[in-house]
Amino acid sequence: WHEIIMEPILDTLTQSTRPQRRPSQRVIQAIDQFCRQKEWAMNVGDEKGMHHVVNPATVLELGTYCGYSTVRIASLLPPTPIARQIIAWAGLQDKVQLVEEASGDWIPKMRTEFGVETFDLVFLDHWKDRYLPDTKLLEDCGLLRKGSVLLADNVIFPGTPEYLEYVRSSPQYESQYFQSHLEYTKVEDGLEKSVYLD
Ligand SMILES: Oc1cc(-c2ccc(F)cc2)cc2nccnc12
Ligand SMILES: [Mg+2]
C-alpha cells in the first residue's frame, strides 16, 4: 500500500521539479557520444554493452574506471525503493543512509555498522508500538547524549500513550508538547519534544 501511495508522490516530483540527477540512459549516451566523437576511453561501450545479463540483483564489478559500466549495470538492478528515489531526486543521497530493516534489529548495530557515537536528533514517526521500546533501546545502547532530542510525531493521533507517559514522567527527559493537527486535516495531533538529560 505504501509503495502504491508513494508512487504518485514521486511522479509529481519528477513532473514538477528539476532532477538533481540525470536518468542513467542519458548519462550513458552522453559518455558514448563524447568517447566516439571527442576522446576515446576504455569503457565497455555501447556495442559490447551489457545486453548479455538479465535482472542481476547482487553484482561485483572489478574495474570501475569512470563509472560508465557501473551506471549501465546499476540500471539493470531491481527498482529502487520510492523513498530512495525521492531522496536522490532532492540531491541528498550522499547525506542519507537508508536502512530497510526493523528499527529494533538495527539500533544495536548503529555503532558497529555506521560508526555512530550518539544521535543529536531522533525523529520517531514509525509504528506507534515501537516508540517506547526503541527509545529504551537507544538509551541502553548508549546512543543518546546529554542534549539529544527525541522528536515524536502522532503522540495524540494515532497516539502513543505509553511513550508519552514514559518521557513525561522520566527524570531523564525534559519534555514539551507542541499542539498541532494531523497532517492535512483538522484532527488534533502534535509533536512531543523530549531532551535527554543523561
Ligand atoms: O503521521 C501518521 C499518521 C497516521 C494515520 C493513521 C490513521 C489515520 F486515520 C490517519 C493517519 C499513521 C502514521 N503511521 C506512521 C507514521 N506516521 C503516521
Ligand atoms: Mg507521522
Side-chain angles (χ1 to χ4, degrees), residues 30-43 65:
I31 297 174
D32 283 331
Q33 184 177 1
F34 177 82
C35 295
R36 198 176 287 284
Q37 295 173 1
K38 299 238 175 41
E39 194 166 333
W40 182 92
M42 58 179 183
N43 303 318
Y65 188 49

Side-chain angles (χ1 to χ4, degrees), residues 19-20 61 98 107 122 163:
Q20 299 302 317
E61 175 184 60
L98 200 54
I107 286 172
V122 179
Y163 171 79

Side-chain angles (χ1 to χ4, degrees), residues 116-141:
V116 171
E117 274 307 308
T118 55
F119 288 106
D120 301 328
L121 168 65
V122 179
F123 178 52
L124 297 97
D125 194 21
H126 55 336
W127 301 129
K128 306 313 160 198
D129 62 356
R130 288 301 312 173
Y131 280 38
L132 185 52
D134 285 345
T135 297
K136 290 182 172 175
L137 205 44
L138 286 163
E139 291 169 8
D140 297 345
C141 295

Side-chain angles (χ1 to χ4, degrees), residues 125-128 153-154 157-158 182-183:
D125 194 21
H126 55 336
W127 301 129
K128 306 313 160 198
D153 188 24
N154 310 119
F157 190 89
L182 178 69
E183 51 270 23

